[in-house]
């Protein structure tokens, strides 16, 4: 298929690379030039990347970035073919995504929100999980591409529902890690060795995939970004905004947001969100 891929960050670059490896004709664009995807053509603008594409796939930071790429100067909308499908794998506000979907539909295109879970490793290994909001038939048409970049794709409902589900899941990730980090700090302060503690965690009902993934990094004090803290913090703000729009209270998450604010002030926002642990440790004096 002819695919325009926009946004070559931690997630987008390996996703685009996997599409090329599977034999698709891929044109890539990134805001900052110089990021290369082997075997793909480089486009100078989103408009150029979208020209003649059957599918336009996006994976950029936030709501504003998606709006700029789609509707800004030299944006996708200027060259989108009628019948083309725009798939957005960025994590953004569901209500904004619905507005973008409507504008794409007015131009004769189809829109899909398909945020992902699986982090950097999942993107590199083609093991992402796509959380999809779309029409059922569009979801079926995209199956071959989901299979190239991921291990599964779940359609949650119509437009916006993929993002709504993704934010709920990320809420659990943020709070699960926070629980793990607070438990480590409390244990450390009481001179408990972390190795046996982790062994206990892994044998008990508090074991979680979040802990499985993060524990080796935490133990080796490697806080380099897999999922940068600035992006998890962005997602926390999206969750709180979605909660406000829908009349839901999230008192636990409001508290976690304060930890992220402190961590950001301490200069950790480009590190992995696991670096919030350092903020808790500092406050506890361990
Ligand atoms: P990243 O490494 O920070 O890359 C962000 C990408 O967005 C870059 O290509 C950046 O371009 C582009 N961008 C930012 N602002 C832009 C703008 N105004 N106009 C055009 N392009 C812009 O982020 P990532 O980790 O790949 O994440 C991408 C999305 O996936 C985010 O929504 C994130 O929440 C979500 N996500 C990430 C993970 C993860 O583990 N990393 C997991 C699941 C979901 P430049 O190169 O020019 O800065």
């Amino acid at each position: 298929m002819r695919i325009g891929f926009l946004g070559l960050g931690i997630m987008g670059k390996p996703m685009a690379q996997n599409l090329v490896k599977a034999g698709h004709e891929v044109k890539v664009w990134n805001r900052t030039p110089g990021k290369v995807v082997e075997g793909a053509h480089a486009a100078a603008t989103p408009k150029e990347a979208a020209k003649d594409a059957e599918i336009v796939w996006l994976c950029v930071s936030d709501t504003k970035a998606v709006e700029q790429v789609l509707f800004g100067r030299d944006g996708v909308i200027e060259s989108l073919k009628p019948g083309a499908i725009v798939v957005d794998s960025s994590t953004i506000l569901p209500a904004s995504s619905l507005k973008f979907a409507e504008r794409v539909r007015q131009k004769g295109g189809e829109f899909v929100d398909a945020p992902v879970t699986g982090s950097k490793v999942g993107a590199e290994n083609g093991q992402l999980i796509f959380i999809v909001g779309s029409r059922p038939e569009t979801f079926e048409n995209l199956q071959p591409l989901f299979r190239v970049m991921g291990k599964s794709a779940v359609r949650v409902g119509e437009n916006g529902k993929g993002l709504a589900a993704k934010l709920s899941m990320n809420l659990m990730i943020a709070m699960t890690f926070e629980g793990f980090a607070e438990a480590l700090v409390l244990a450390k302060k009481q001179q408990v060795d972390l190795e046996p503690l982790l062994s206990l965690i892994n044998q008990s009902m508090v074991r979680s995939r979040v802990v499985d993934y993060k524990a080796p990094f935490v133990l080796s004090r490697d806080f380099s970004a897999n999922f940068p803290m600035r992006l998890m913090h962005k997602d926390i703000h999206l969750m709180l905004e979605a909660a406000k729009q829908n009349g839901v209270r999230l008192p636990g998450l409001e508290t976690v947001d304060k930890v992220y604010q402190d961590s950001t002030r301490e200069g950790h926002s480009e590190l992995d969100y696991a670096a919030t642990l350092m903020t808790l440790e500092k406050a506890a004096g361990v």
Side-chain angles (χ1 to χ4, degrees):
M1 293 186 106
R2 285 190 309 278
I3 304 168
F5 200 105
L6 313 171
L8 303 175
I10 292 174
M11 302 299 281
K13 188 170 182 233
M15 288 166 77
Q17 192 68 70
N18 284 333
L19 289 170
V20 173
K21 276 191 203 148
H24 295 288
E25 196 184 312
V26 184
K27 250 193 237 167
V28 296
W29 173 83
N30 193 65
R31 177 182 59 175
T32 307
K35 286 191 184 159
V36 179
V37 171
E38 221 176 290
H41 309 273
T45 60
K47 177 182 172 183
E48 189 190 324
K51 192 168 176 286
D52 298 325
E54 297 157 276
I55 311 280
V56 177
W57 210 293
L58 273 77
C59 191
V60 292
S61 304
D62 53 21
T63 309
K64 197 168 143 228
V66 173
E67 184 165 26
Q68 278 174 356
V69 169
L70 290 178
F71 308 110
R73 202 165 142 230
D74 291 326
V76 166
I77 207 75
E78 292 183 22
S79 66
L80 191 72
K81 277 200 327 181
I85 307 174
V86 176
V87 189
D88 183 17
S89 282
S90 324
T91 307
I92 66 170
L93 196 63
S96 303
S97 182
L98 282 177
K99 288 184 192 149
F100 301 157
E102 189 48 41
R103 287 173 77 178
V104 166
R105 220 168 277 125
Q106 278 167 10
K107 192 79 201 307
E110 190 60 47
F111 193 88
V112 174
D113 47 299
V116 292
T117 186
S119 210
K120 184 183 175 192
V121 176
E124 286 170 353
N125 301 341
Q127 294 288 303
L128 292 172
I129 300 171
F130 289 89
I131 308 162
V132 184
S134 71
R135 295 201 320 197
E137 53 274 33
T138 315
F139 178 67
E140 286 314 317
N141 292 340
L142 290 170
Q143 285 298 342
L145 302 182
F146 289 138
R147 273 198 290 272
V148 162
M149 295 181 279
K151 62 178 175 188
S152 99
V154 177
R155 180 180 168 272
V156 186
E158 297 295 328
N159 279 152
K161 301 296 182 248
L163 279 163
K166 161 73 183 171
L167 290 184
S168 294
M169 286 174 67
N170 260 24
L171 182 153
M172 283 187 69
I173 295 176
M175 298 206 40
T176 304
F177 183 78
E178 181 66 17
F180 177 52
E182 289 188 11
L184 289 186
V185 173
L186 182 62
K188 238 174 153 180
K189 188 79 186 193
Q190 297 172 96
Q191 289 88 43
V192 173
D193 277 346
L194 294 190
E195 300 273 356
L197 177 64
L198 271 168
S199 163
L200 279 167
I201 288 171
N202 286 333
Q203 293 173 59
S204 77
M205 72 189 294
V206 295
R207 180 176 188 179
S208 87
R209 298 282 287 276
V210 174
V211 173
D212 284 350
Y213 187 70
K214 290 296 180 194
F217 292 103
V218 164
L219 280 189
S220 62
R221 309 296 291 177
D222 175 3
F223 294 112
S224 55
N226 272 268
F227 185 28
M229 187 185 298
R230 67 182 154 79
L231 290 182
M232 182 61 108
H233 202 186
K234 176 258 308 177
D235 286 359
I236 289 172
H237 290 151
L238 293 175
M239 294 161 207
L240 293 172
E241 180 63 25
K244 202 163 116 196
Q245 289 175 354
N246 289 282
V248 174
R249 268 203 71 219
L250 302 174
L253 193 70
E254 283 169 13
T255 307
V256 173
D257 180 34
K258 293 199 176 84
V259 177
Y260 278 70
Q261 286 172 24
D262 291 345
S263 234
T264 303
R265 264 194 298 275
E266 286 167 18
H268 300 325
S269 65
E270 288 300 326
L271 297 177
D272 195 86
Y273 72 92
T276 46
L277 174 68
M278 293 200 281
T279 299
L280 297 171
E281 287 172 340
K282 189 175 167 207
V286 295

